[in-house]
Amino acid sequence: MKVQKRQEEILKILSEVPISTIQNLANELAVSAETIRKDLKQLADEDKIIQTHGGVVLKGKKTSYFPFDYRVKISTSKKIKIGKEASKLIEFGDTIFLESSTTCLALVQELCQRKEILNSLTIVTNSLSIVVLLEKEEVSSKVLFVGGWIDFSQHSTNGFMAMDFLEKVYVNKTFISGAALSRDLMVTGYYEQDILLQRKMMEHAEQNILMVDEKKYPKQGFLQLAQMSEFDYVVSDIDFGKEVNENIQQNNEKLGKSCHIITAN
């Protein structure tokens, strides 16, 4: 790949993710880390990117966080399909945790079509959008809102107080929307506060469900959450292929548990 084309690809990748690393870019473009360093130096000299400690972002981004109102408009049809399939895993009377994500919001929108199930649930969430939707639908679900600092751009709560709150909460099922899924099936994210919250709720759930669409694969975030095989269910529109499915089966055998793949078409 020629230098100009490769640098265009770098800028394209950075436009699609909040932050990346030299190694991630090298893996994406199948070149050496040294080649990426040279490209990034040139792009930085041209004032197109900013290199931070351990990462790289596009120049002009005031924040590496994409606002919730922006994300909710991306891949809407995919999220609806995934949310619909994921909702089928919810049983009458379940206590569930729903993180603040646009895919979890799509799941609740589907549940609003099944009021009998929805009204029987106890829902724990840090999502302002989910709480507002439930109030609008006038459901009789029990809703436990996670306290903490409010991030208005993300429609969520987070921080130390949110983590302390979650320490006391246990659920039947946790639903997590994966920010990125690497080729070796590692679920990763871009923000420490998200990863910490997700880990805590995985620890406090009987079953963990991962929801991830094909735009998140193969991609690698900044921070590691868990191997995909650590989830009980994966709801996705990704076509993993024969080799990957065999790897999933091998990991299931190694861990002595089953990670069930549910296809959302």
Side-chain angles (χ1 to χ4, degrees), residues 177-231:
S177 178
L181 180 64
S182 67
R183 284 188 176 86
D184 61 355
L185 304 181
M186 179 64 70
V187 183
T188 56
Y190 299 99
Y191 308 109
E192 182 179 16
Q193 61 192 27
D194 292 345
I195 294 294
L196 290 174
L197 183 141
Q198 290 172 335
R199 284 178 182 167
K200 180 60 63 180
M201 291 317 302
M202 287 182 68
E203 292 171 4
H204 286 207
E206 295 173 0
Q207 291 186 331
N208 291 298
I209 295 95
L210 173 67
M211 302 180 294
V212 58
D213 67 67
E214 62 180 1
K215 288 181 69 66
K216 311 289 181 60
Y217 174 82
K219 294 188 183 299
Q220 187 164 307
F222 212 46
L223 299 165
Q224 176 179 311
L225 174 61
Q227 277 285 345
M228 191 178 81
S229 55
E230 294 180 50
F231 288 86

Side-chain angles (χ1 to χ4, degrees), residues 121-132:
L121 303 178
T122 299
I123 299 173
V124 183
T125 185
N126 69 325
S127 169
L128 294 167
S129 294
I130 288 175
V131 170
V132 168

